[in-house]
Amino acid sequence: MYAFEIERPSTIADAVKALKDEDAQALGGGQTLIPTLKARLAMPSALVSLSGIGEMQGVCIGDDGAVCVGGATNHATVAKETASSFPGLSGLAGNIGDPAVRNRGTVGGSLANNDPSACYPAAALGSGATIITNAREIAADDYFQGMFETALDEGEVITEVRFPVPEKSHYEKFVQPASRFALVGVFVAKYADGVRVAVTGASENGVFRWSEAEAALSTDFSASALDGLSVSADGMIADLHGSSEYRAHLVKVMTGRAVTAAS
Amino acid sequence: MASVTMTVNGKSVSGNVEGRTLLSDFLRNDLQLTGTHIGCDTSQCGACVVHVDGEAVKSCTMFAVEADGTDVATIEGQANADGSLNVIQQAFQDHHGLQCGFCTPGMVMSAAALLKDNPTPTEGEIREYLEGNICRCTGYHNIVKAIMAASGQDVSAVAAE
Amino acid sequence: MPKDGGIGASTTRREDVRFLTGKGKYTADINAFGQVSAIFVRSTVANGVIKSIDTSAAESMPGVLAVFTGEDFADVGGNPAGWLINSRDGEPMKEPKRPVLAHGKVRHVGDAYAAVIAETEQQARDAAEEIIADIEELPAIVDMAAALAGDSYVHDEIETNQCFDWGWIEDNRAATDEAIKNAPHVTTLELINNRLVPNAMEPRASIGTYDAAGDSYLLQTTSQNPHLTRLLISAFVMGIPENKLTVIAPDVGGGFGSKIYHYGEEALVLAAAKKVGRPVKWVADRSESFLSDAHGRDHVTKIELACEKDGTFIAFRTETLANVGAYLSNFSTATPTFLHGTLMAGNYTVPNVYVNLKAVFTNTAPVDAYRGAGRPEATYSIERVIDMAARELGMDPIEIRRKNFIKPDQFPFASAAGLEYDSGNYDALMDKMEAMVDRKAFEERRKASEAKGMLRGLGINAYVEACGIAPSNLVGVLGSRVGLYDAATVRVNATGNLSVMVGAHSHGQGHETVFPQIVGDMLGIDPASVDIVHGDTSKIPFGMGTYGSRSLAVCGSAVVRATEKIIAKAKKIAAHMLEASADDLDFTDGQFAVKGTDKSVSFGEVALKAYIPHNYPLEDIEPGLEETAFYDPANFTYPSGAYACEVEVDPETGKVTVERFTACDDFGNVMNPMIVSGQVHGGVVQGIGQALLENTTYDENGQLLSASYMDYVMPRADDLPFIAVDHADGTPCTHNPLGAKGCGEGGAIGSPPTVVNAVIDALQSGGKNVTHIDMPLTPARVWAAMNNA
Ligand SMILES: Cc1cc2nc3c(=O)[nH]c(=O)nc-3n(C[C@H](O)[C@H](O)[C@H](O)COP(=O)(O)OP(=O)(O)OC[C@H]3O[C@@H](n4cnc5c(N)ncnc54)[C@H](O)[C@@H]3O)c2cc1C
Ligand code: FES
Ligand code: FES
């Protein structure tokens, strides 16, 4: 690691101020950033730790019934606190990495990073969440802009994420066996006005919605509704762990399983 | 440099650290608590697992500054007050849950965190909980068995010695 | 019943206490007074000419004490290969120099070409980034067939990428060819034995210290065999006199082969310590380990099995390309030849065997022995092709093996591949395995899996391996440049407790517990009064170290011999004390007693007498009670086993789950069943890792794609079931005093074909005509195979 200072503000305002510094970078749980720093792939002059900001911690239910998660809330807390209010989200958070990672990694860090194989982007996109920053509210449909690309501006902090609660949902993850991220992960959520299907791990453009499946499932919420649909291998990731054809195939299998398991 | 103060294994300690000083560096280099091991640089192996305020964390993936004011527990503080092995440690010895010993501190710390939340975990729950702890020697057989035994379960039916 | 804590008892391990309380002392845990840090600068290209290296900026960075490049070691020796292989035409193998730091050319990604010594690790890292190397990248030589066909070379000076072209046994070649030509049935299989990264959980580390007063050196290092490391550094690389170099391997966090070898980093920290006058410490990070530890396996093989229509084997013939990587590592020429070709008759009476093996240089990390070393490759080839032949002939896979097994009354048996197996009972192992598996119950389990939409398969396997590696006379004829005995000193202290100095090094195998069990048993004393000293060349007589499952069979036998000498001398002293003739004494339970009387002295009293020799026959017997033995066995030992694996395959995703695994092994006499089971568990899981998970992949530019735990799939707890093991009632080894065969590698040797056979069985049961898939059988590969079938 190169040398840097760590600041530990206790309010969002102070954090945002500290992040004005050109080479300053936000530090969430560090579960992605610290390994990156160890490899000397980043050279911030200062890290602004968000973990001491009380107003970014915790889970609550909003007036509209949405689950609101503070941007610095760790995965373990989300898994625990949403178990009954939003089991699909709870299951997703409770399956990220391993217990020690879940005790540190945060929803804000995961969404800011937007790793193409990460789990949270599927939940956010699949539930039509709103990403709330110090400056604005961004609809998930506008937020994800390709691998590691998001709508966030320099120095913008995810302070909260609001997840509308579906009638039924489930996240089905086929793990990449080494990293334990998603080789393909599918989040399916059934709302009164239709079904959303978000796919992570598969596409070179990062998380995406599978609209054909959404249409089919909106009329018939069962795995068999997917019969006859297929996903094109074009634009799918190909690596050591699977070809693009394999990933395309898994998208359909995981979607079907998610529908069957949805609760 | 920043000064940090924390409780480690029940004792208050302080030191001056750089921003980039990891909790694992602070434990190993400043406090000479070398039982916390480093087995990777990508936060996968779990040889470095300690407890911070009662929660398992990978000490190689947390800065020492972030542990300021916390209560840290490491493998060195796990034995009983009289120095004898605690229940988990004893089960690891009784069931040969370690060979080279390198992954062992992290395994014991993870096991302790698991049993705190889930006093009688099933085999499957133990295996899943250990997803972030890699052992190259034991094939995990005797680690899983030891944790089941430590939780008071009868392991006599588990295959072989 | 084993004696309390003696031979055969599942004594819990005394070393566990320090490991469980965080008090283990691994190399990285040691901080020498005044130590400074070394960081290596490693090639990011697989093949390149070093045009220039400008170190001036780095040298002026804060804290920097010295910078080294390959130029600094141009005049010292290379790290040698320990085994000379001659090609079929009699030509000796090609042995290009393996320098301490790359010189002239870099030959694999991770090849170190410079090193920085600085006050702190971060300063050394900062300075390392300031080294400006002009390296002209050349096309990488990665694929073995292309390497042999092409006209660019990993080592220009040898003008070929072929290290050797070996035939075993060359005199059997014509007969084997003829037998195959005339055979009623020939099964042919082309397969890959995948490259593996050993991944001991402790990364390599070394601390070099120089003492100007005595012009002597100390190397603390992660080694499985400190004496061999000292020998290589002294005699070949650095020319430091052996008596001026102490090598200590403290607690070592696993090795699996990768820490047998001497590596350039060890020489560098010694040279640097002398130059800067301070101890120099280097600790690899995992990323460096992936790039620079010796890898394992990496064979491409075509095997043919010729047999009668009734399944009687007529011949095995293989053609193999074995990757040795960019440089020859210490055992890299022995592993694919004498640890592989000699096993190609398996457990069978097959009359004809011929092995052709070409070792190939490529721009990849060196490849050397990894748990099993050569024998897993042999077993995999044989046991896969047998399964395929059984299927082609419509025979049961167990039946075809039994039909060809060497029978118990045929031992000692001279195999067609040139070894003499001393003992074994392969049918008995198969019986035991079949009873544990219960094939009728398996059919029920298969139905249950099918009801869930899963395919279930049962794979079985038999293996024999050669370990306890030695004897020197034989390995000398076969090309070994070292002896393969081991040594032990038993020191009885005046107060009756013992220190036993052993050449074997324990890095998880439990020597500190097991060797005292043996000595305690022999002397009739409490094993707790016996302490083992290992891993320090200044304290132990000599040793060839721990690998090839040899610690017990070879070093343990040296311990027995030294203890026998102790008993013989103690008996003479006791005879004097009892005023009797030594021949009239019995020695049981730690007491020397005159036969037929109640006169006796205890072992402890004799020990005291030896050190306080009043009223002592000094003219006949020296004072003191300490004996050393070097033990060089008469043959390898031949563990064997019958394994079974049950898998479920998800036909939608191709994911394979190991549901059950059964390992029945014959390790001869077992000293500590608990520890032996642990060795089997670990070995089996490494084999399951090879079969299903571990995927070392270089791209066409020689970049390692699986270079961290983000991509290299290590087996985890949730990938595995409990493993059922049985190693009771083995057939004792006939030529060592313990009757013990090695147990460290069987699991890794026997398991890969078992798993693959199971997956093929599952796919076949589901109507998929898949006959082979190369390891690792990842979900994607299994899915692709199913869909192409
Ligand atoms: C062993 C291991 C296994 C893992 N497995 C999975 C898995 O299965 N699925 C999965 O999805 N992830 C996985 N992860 C990643 C993990 O979930 C991380 O928590 C996550 O990717 C990043 O979150 P973090 O809080 O640690 O962010 P950090 O690492 O601290 O930061 C990541 C990036 O986000 C920025 N950032 C952090 N917080 C904010 C914020 N509130 N606002 C704006 N920017 C911010 C940082 O500046 C940085 O650029 C794994 C990680 C590890 C080490
Ligand atoms: S050292 Fe912390 S996870 Fe490997
Ligand atoms: S005991 Fe060696 S890595 Fe687990």
Side-chain angles (χ1 to χ4, degrees):
Chain A
M1 276 182 275
Y2 298 107
F4 48 78
E5 297 299 323
I6 296 186
E7 295 177 46
R8 306 186 76 204
S10 55
T11 65
I12 294 172
D14 285 349
V16 170
K17 200 154 78 196
L19 284 167
K20 289 255 154 35
D21 205 333
E22 202 186 338
D23 294 323
Q25 189 174 1
L27 172 65
Q31 303 302 291
T32 294
L33 186 52
I34 293 176
T36 310
L37 293 167
K38 284 184 193 171
R40 293 193 162 209
L41 297 173
M43 207 174 172
S45 59
L47 293 185
V48 179
S49 167
L50 307 176
S51 58
I53 302 175
E55 48 188 320
M56 282 175 65
Q57 291 288 349
V59 178
C60 65
I61 306 290
D63 297 340
D64 56 355
V67 165
C68 307
V69 182
T73 311
N74 68 38
H75 309 327
T77 304
V78 175
K80 200 167 353 160
E81 307 261 312
T82 63
S84 54
S85 58
F86 192 165
L89 180 64
S90 168
L92 174 141
N95 242 320
I96 292 175
D98 56 66
V101 167
R102 294 197 285 274
N103 284 334
R104 297 292 302 164
T106 67
V107 61
S110 181
L111 292 176
N113 197 46
N114 192 20
D115 187 302
S117 305
C119 301
Y120 261 120
L125 191 61
S127 62
T130 305
I131 287 96
I132 300 170
T133 74
N134 57 299
R136 55 189 167 139
E137 302 196 354
I138 312 171
D141 283 316
D142 302 325
Y143 176 83
F144 299 102
Q145 304 191 341
M147 268 200 193
F148 299 107
E149 295 289 334
T150 70
L152 291 180
D153 290 330
E154 206 62 35
E156 194 169 356
V157 175
I158 298 176
T159 55
E160 185 181 326
V161 186
R162 260 181 232 154
F163 298 93
V165 179
E167 291 166 10
K168 281 179 163 193
S169 66
H170 187 76
Y171 177 64
E172 189 73 23
K173 176 179 176 182
F174 192 84
V175 296
Q176 193 265 51
S179 72
R180 302 295 173 115
F181 278 69
L183 189 70
V184 168
V186 178
F187 190 91
V188 170
K190 180 176 187 300
Y191 290 89
D193 58 351
V195 174
R196 291 175 74 104
V197 176
V199 180
T200 188
S203 167
E204 289 172 346
N205 290 318
V207 67
F208 71 94
R209 284 174 68 182
W210 183 18
S211 40
E212 291 85 351
E214 291 184 348
L217 292 168
S218 294
T219 40
D220 173 12
F221 192 71
S222 74
S224 58
L226 302 168
D227 292 351
L229 297 189
S230 68
V231 182
S232 162
D234 288 346
M236 293 285 157
I237 298 170
D239 62 13
L240 281 184
H241 306 284
S243 62
S244 43
E245 290 75 19
Y246 183 59
R247 279 188 167 80
H249 167 77
L250 283 181
V251 170
K252 182 167 164 183
V253 176
M254 293 300 121
T255 305
R257 291 183 182 183
V259 170
T260 305
S263 60
Chain B
M1 294 294 249
S3 88
V4 291
T5 301
M6 62 190 90
T7 306
V8 178
N9 299 330
K11 270 189 252 154
S12 174
V13 297
S14 39
N16 283 316
V17 297
E18 288 188 278
R20 62 182 165 178
T21 305
L22 297 166
L23 177 57
S24 54
D25 295 332
F26 182 67
L27 294 170
R28 289 180 53 82
N29 302 338
D30 294 50
L31 305 182
Q32 273 93 50
L33 295 174
T34 54
T36 296
H37 295 157
I38 301 301
C40 74
D41 42 24
T42 52
S43 308
Q44 246 92 25
C45 77
C48 62
V49 168
V50 302
H51 297 177
V52 174
D53 289 335
E55 306 285 355
V57 303
K58 291 177 170 173
S59 63
C60 75
T61 318
M62 175 171 182
F63 293 112
V65 169
E66 295 179 284
D68 188 34
T70 64
D71 189 350
V72 177
T74 73
I75 188 68
E76 286 89 349
Q78 293 299 296
N80 297 325
D82 64 357
S84 61
L85 299 180
N86 76 9
V87 173
I88 297 172
Q89 292 168 319
Q90 190 58 56
F92 269 68
Q93 184 183 35
D94 291 345
H95 298 281
H96 191 29
L98 62 153
Q99 292 182 22
C100 79
F102 197 78
C103 72
T104 309
M107 288 289 178
V108 170
M109 297 310 289
S110 282
L114 167 64
L115 295 186
K116 186 168 67 83
D117 289 349
N118 184 354
T120 41
T122 63
E123 178 200 342
E125 286 169 342
I126 294 169
R127 291 186 181 277
E128 202 182 297
Y129 196 89
L130 295 180
E131 188 172 322
N133 290 83
I134 304 178
C135 174
R136 192 55 149 172
C137 297
T138 64
Y140 306 97
H141 181 110
N142 284 334
I143 292 176
V144 176
K145 188 175 171 183
I147 296 173
M148 291 176 80
S151 70
Q153 302 183 59
D154 178 8
V155 293
S156 54
V158 172
E161 292 287 338
Chain C
M1 267 302 281
K3 271 192 223 166
D4 221 16
I7 288 174
S10 281
T11 307
T12 58
R13 300 196 325 167
R14 58 176 73 177
E15 50 266 68
D16 288 358
V17 176
R18 71 174 185 275
F19 296 133
L20 282 163
T21 53
K23 296 197 184 84
K25 264 271 177 273
Y26 301 87
T27 303
D29 301 339
I30 296 169
N31 292 307
F33 181 73
Q35 89 190 1
V36 296
S37 190
I39 289 292
F40 289 84
V41 187
R42 297 181 185 276
S43 179
T44 56
V45 301
N47 190 10
V49 176
I50 303 173
K51 298 267 186 180
S52 65
I53 302 177
D54 181 355
T55 60
S56 53
E59 276 160 26
S60 59
M61 292 283 287
V64 172
L65 301 165
V67 178
F68 292 86
T69 67
E71 197 61 40
D72 296 298
F73 295 91
D75 297 333
V76 305
N79 188 1
W83 209 294
L84 173 69
I85 302 297
N86 290 321
S87 284
R88 292 166 48 209
D89 60 8
E91 276 289 302
M93 67 185 192
K94 300 284 191 282
E95 291 187 78
K97 181 177 176 182
R98 183 182 185 191
V100 174
L101 290 173
H103 190 222
K105 243 180 152 187
V106 286
R107 294 187 173 85
H108 65 94
V109 171
D111 201 1
Y113 59 82
V116 179
I117 316 301
E119 293 284 348
T120 70
E121 182 194 322
Q122 296 297 352
Q123 286 173 331
R125 283 189 195 280
D126 290 342
E129 290 186 356
E130 300 302 319
I131 290 179
I132 301 156
D134 179 6
I135 296 176
E136 182 193 328
E137 187 172 357
L138 302 173
I141 300 160
V142 180
D143 177 72
M144 286 193 276
L148 292 180
D151 55 6
S152 61
Y153 308 114
V154 176
H155 296 273
D156 300 313
E157 67 275 22
I158 58 173
E159 296 185 332
T160 173
N161 290 317
Q162 181 174 295
C163 178
F164 56 76
D165 173 1
W166 181 75
W168 187 258
I169 296 172
E170 197 55 25
D171 289 348
N172 295 352
R173 181 187 179 99
T176 305
D177 288 351
E178 194 60 23
I180 289 177
K181 205 165 77 195
N182 299 327
H185 185 92
V186 179
T187 299
T188 305
L189 175 59
E190 293 185 26
L191 53 84
I192 292 173
N193 203 290
N194 45 326
R195 182 188 275 246
L196 303 174
V197 183
N199 270 306
M201 290 318 297
E202 178 205 25
R204 286 190 293 123
S206 302
I207 305 171
T209 305
Y210 177 70
D211 176 8
D215 189 25
S216 62
Y217 296 81
L218 169 66
L219 176 67
Q220 291 157 298
T221 192
T222 49
S223 176
Q224 299 176 223
N225 47 356
H227 271 101
L228 198 63
T229 298
R230 185 181 69 170
L231 186 67
L232 291 168
I233 294 174
S234 293
F236 296 93
V237 183
M238 303 276 287
I240 299 169
E242 253 183 300
N243 57 358
K244 295 288 187 189
L245 173 61
T246 297
V247 179
I248 296 178
D251 285 330
V252 172
F256 314 111
S258 66
K259 294 171 182 167
I260 299 174
Y261 325 114
H262 165 55
Y263 290 88
E265 291 89 353
E266 294 171 324
L268 188 287
V269 295
L270 290 172
K274 180 168 187 180
K275 181 160 179 182
V276 306
R278 313 251 302 263
V280 175
K281 179 172 177 177
W282 166 73
V283 180
D285 53 37
R286 179 62 57 188
S287 301
E288 273 184 295
S289 306
F290 269 103
L291 298 177
S292 67
D293 288 2
H295 294 176
R297 318 277 193 261
D298 207 349
H299 286 193
V300 176
T301 292
K302 176 179 164 195
I303 179 164
E304 292 155 289
L305 164 55
C307 47
E308 305 288 357
K309 291 280 182 216
D310 71 354
T312 304
F313 299 164
I314 301 169
F316 286 109
R317 180 171 66 189
T318 60
E319 272 173 51
T320 292
L321 299 183
N323 204 334
V324 291
Y327 301 100
L328 293 183
S329 172
N330 303 140
F331 279 166
S332 62
T333 53
T335 301
T337 53
F338 290 104
L339 296 175
H340 166 247
T342 54
L343 271 306
M344 283 305 301
N347 310 47
Y348 308 106
T349 53
V350 58
N352 300 290
V353 172
Y354 178 74
V355 174
N356 176 237
L357 184 137
K358 297 186 176 78
V360 186
F361 289 107
T362 58
N363 291 122
T364 63
V367 180
D368 206 328
Y370 163 64
R371 199 172 197 166
R375 292 147 290 162
E377 294 90 317
T379 301
Y380 184 69
S381 300
I382 296 170
E383 295 296 320
R384 281 291 301 127
V385 81
I386 291 174
D387 239 51
M388 194 181 248
R391 214 171 279 287
E392 288 174 1
L393 295 169
M395 287 183 74
D396 179 83
I398 294 183
E399 240 11 83
I400 196 173
R401 288 176 169 90
R402 285 189 186 273
K403 189 177 188 70
N404 291 282
F405 272 164
I406 301 161
K407 297 295 167 189
D409 59 3
Q410 289 177 286
F411 291 95
F413 184 85
S415 90
L419 293 175
E420 186 175 286
Y421 302 161
D422 64 336
S423 64
N425 188 339
Y426 308 146
D427 281 295
L429 288 167
M430 203 56 112
D431 292 344
K432 204 190 284 190
M433 183 272 276
E434 282 197 80
M436 283 168 78
V437 170
D438 188 352
R439 288 172 96 186
K440 272 219 194 73
F442 165 74
E443 290 304 331
E444 295 304 312
R445 295 193 289 270
R446 172 174 270 172
K447 284 204 195 94
S449 295
E450 285 167 354
K452 292 187 295 175
M454 303 296 251
L455 304 176
R456 197 176 187 102
L458 173 64
I460 65 107
N461 176 50
Y463 82 87
V464 62
E465 62 128 336
C467 66
I469 128 163
S472 300
N473 275 331
L474 176 61
V475 297
V477 173
L478 298 180
S480 175
R481 288 162 165 164
V482 291
L484 285 172
Y485 47 83
D486 220 294
T489 296
V490 175
R491 176 179 298 157
V492 184
N493 297 313
T495 52
N497 53 35
L498 279 79
S499 304
V500 178
M501 280 59 80
V502 295
H505 181 273
S506 181
H507 35 279
Q509 297 86 348
H511 300 169
E512 292 173 36
T513 299
V514 174
F515 289 159
Q517 286 181 256
I518 296 168
V519 176
D521 198 293
M522 290 178 72
L523 295 178
I525 58 171
D526 182 0
S529 64
V530 182
D531 259 14
I532 297 301
V533 178
H534 64 100
D536 183 339
T537 61
S538 70
K539 292 184 179 159
I540 53 183
F542 200 79
M544 295 309 297
T546 291
Y547 49 83
S549 305
R550 65 195 300 283
S551 293
L552 185 64
V554 188
C555 189
S557 295
V559 170
V560 172
R561 289 284 182 256
T563 308
E564 285 169 354
K565 291 189 193 178
I566 292 284
I567 294 170
K569 180 170 178 184
K571 205 172 201 176
K572 283 196 210 163
I573 301 170
H576 173 81
M577 292 167 75
L578 293 165
E579 297 175 335
S581 144
D583 293 341
D584 291 337
L585 297 190
D586 276 336
F587 182 53
T588 40
D589 293 335
Q591 295 285 329
F592 291 96
V594 183
K595 287 183 186 131
T597 74
D598 60 358
K599 280 177 30 174
S600 70
V601 289
S602 71
F603 181 76
E605 290 170 297
V606 173
L608 192 64
K609 177 64 85 183
Y611 286 94
I612 307 178
H614 304 162
N615 179 20
Y616 188 94
L618 286 166
E619 54 293 349
D620 297 329
I621 314 173
E622 289 175 16
L625 196 50
E626 169 167 331
E627 297 288 350
T628 294
F630 279 62
Y631 181 83
D632 201 306
N635 194 350
F636 293 104
T637 68
Y638 299 98
S640 56
Y643 282 17
C645 175
E646 273 179 57
V647 298
E648 260 189 6
V649 180
D650 180 344
E652 283 191 318
T653 63
K655 185 171 167 56
V656 178
T657 309
V658 178
E659 293 288 325
R660 286 168 169 250
F661 200 101
T662 305
C664 298
D665 294 281
D666 176 356
F667 296 131
N669 294 339
V670 165
M671 304 297 118
N672 183 321
M674 174 194 82
I675 288 178
V676 170
S677 295
Q679 291 293 309
V680 177
H681 298 150
V684 164
V685 167
Q686 287 183 3
I688 292 174
Q690 166 161 34
L692 297 180
L693 304 170
E694 301 183 34
N695 54 344
T696 313
T697 308
Y698 284 94
D699 72 8
E700 69 277 11
N701 299 318
Q703 295 292 336
L704 183 61
L705 300 180
S706 45
S708 81
Y709 294 146
M710 296 290 281
D711 284 302
Y712 189 90
V713 189
M714 292 288 278
R716 316 262 182 130
D718 62 351
D719 294 319
L720 301 158
F722 282 126
I723 313 287
V725 307
D726 188 310
H727 38 70
D729 314 317
T731 59
C733 168
T734 59
H735 57 77
N736 69 40
L738 291 165
K741 307 174 181 182
C743 69
E745 295 165 295
I749 294 166
S751 52
T754 318
V755 177
V756 177
N757 290 346
V759 175
I760 300 299
D761 186 56
L763 298 182
Q764 293 270 347
S765 81
K768 315 276 184 194
N769 185 26
V770 176
T771 54
H772 180 70
I773 307 173
D774 275 321
M775 302 185 290
L777 274 64
T778 61
R781 283 190 184 177
V782 173
W783 178 79
M786 282 191 294
N787 284 287
N788 294 333

